[in-house]
Amino acid sequence: ADENDNAPRFSQPSYDVYVTENNVPGAYIYAVTAVDPDMGQNAYISYSILECDIQGMSVFTYVSINSENGYLYALRSFDYEQLKEFSFTVQAKDSGSPALSSNTTINIIIVDQ
């Protein structure tokens, strides 16, 4: 049986993602990908955003992630005048026992129109 001896790995330790302001809420903004060289369940990766605050509001009111494919979505229309950039952490976790995980930082940069 394959040992779960590899944590998922993101291709970069951080990502800069440019989003033009006045975007449509629910819009797809980026896809993060992690790879895990283990086999079977030990390689099945789920993605999540770690809780943090952005201007006093939960990160979950700003962005969401598809746990299966790492697609990131904007949950609100961003306004450059109110918010020029924000950062949060995405975690990739495999399905081994115990599960192994790794994190990457997403820097969202709002582009003025």
Side-chain angles (χ1 to χ4, degrees):
D2 179 59
E3 296 276 326
N4 189 31
D5 47 10
N6 293 286
R9 237 184 236 108
F10 287 100
S11 54
Q12 298 169 221
S14 68
Y15 298 84
D16 290 343
V17 179
Y18 293 86
V19 179
T20 303
E21 68 171 346
N22 305 320
N23 56 291
V24 178
Y28 163 85
I29 49 175
Y30 198 72
V32 292
T33 309
V35 292
D36 189 317
D38 287 311
M39 308 287 283
Q41 279 296 102
N42 293 341
Y44 178 79
I45 295 170
S46 65
Y47 299 92
S48 60
I49 294 169
L50 301 187
E51 172 69 272
C52 68
D53 276 7
I54 297 155
Q55 292 189 329
M57 301 276 286
S58 166
V59 64
F60 301 123
T61 67
Y62 286 83
V63 286
S64 68
I65 194 164
N66 181 316
S67 62
E68 290 180 19
N69 57 24
Y71 286 18
L72 287 163
Y73 299 91
L75 294 182
R76 56 171 71 184
S77 183
F78 300 127
D79 177 358
Y80 179 83
E81 280 63 45
Q82 291 183 347
L83 183 67
K84 294 182 173 48
E85 56 184 73
F86 63 93
S87 301
F88 57 94
T89 303
V90 169
Q91 182 176 80
K93 189 190 236 172
D94 66 26
S95 300
S97 185
L100 300 174
S101 65
S102 67
N103 295 345
T104 190
T105 300
I106 311 293
N107 302 307
I108 302 286
I109 296 133
I110 312 303
V111 181
D112 198 11
Q113 264 188 334

